[in-house]
Amino acid sequence: MPFFYGKPADDILDLQFIATSPEQSQKAEGFMPVSATSPSSGHTFKGVRVRAYGNALEIKQMNGNAQAQIKASDCKDCVGKKFVEKGQGQAGAGIAYGGDLPPDYRAIAPTHGVKGEVHNPNRINLILDADNKDLMAFWE
């Protein structure tokens, strides 16, 4: 979807990447590649910028492609590892480190409730046991 309407000052078409949320939570089984193609006949733009939840890509010419570098763990191998909160330790073997996860992660200890009824498909949830071991990882 267009980020705004009208002629942009830099002649770059600015778009928001908006995906449809799944109807139910999804196990953390790894990030999946996503691609998009858009017809552009009769355009007056020099390039395209696409903004997603956690990053943006820009192509300075209309025919081209770009690829985002993934900077966070997809948590496909978090289950069974000890969880360490960001800033409370460091990454290592056998550890699911909060600093490596997407910024909106939610670690849920056995004695903690959860707040809110709005689901966030960009948030990964870690269900922890009493020893902070990850029992389950899923996207809302």
Side-chain angles (χ1 to χ4, degrees), residues 45-97:
F45 303 108
K46 290 186 209 171
V48 177
R49 184 180 305 110
V50 179
R51 299 176 189 274
Y53 170 74
N55 61 9
L57 296 174
E58 185 174 325
I59 300 173
K60 298 215 184 248
Q61 73 243 8
M62 287 307 284
N63 294 322
N65 63 51
Q67 187 172 2
Q69 186 140 31
I70 298 171
K71 298 176 184 173
S73 168
D74 58 17
C75 218
K76 69 180 178 185
D77 60 353
C78 287
V79 174
K81 292 183 176 181
K82 181 176 176 81
F83 174 74
V84 176
E85 194 74 57
K86 180 180 179 179
Q88 309 249 326
Q90 57 189 16
I95 292 177
Y97 180 59

Side-chain angles (χ1 to χ4, degrees), residues 1 3 5 7 10 17 21 25-26 28 34 55-56 61 67 75 78 86 93 99 101 106 110 117 123 132 137 140:
M1 298 186 75
F3 195 62
Y5 293 95
K7 182 172 173 25
D10 62 359
F17 182 77
S21 299
S25 62
Q26 304 289 311
V34 176
N55 61 9
Q61 73 243 8
Q67 187 172 2
C75 218
C78 287
K86 180 180 179 179
L101 298 176
R106 180 166 59 176
E117 47 183 77
R123 178 170 49 206
N132 266 7
E140 288 184 20

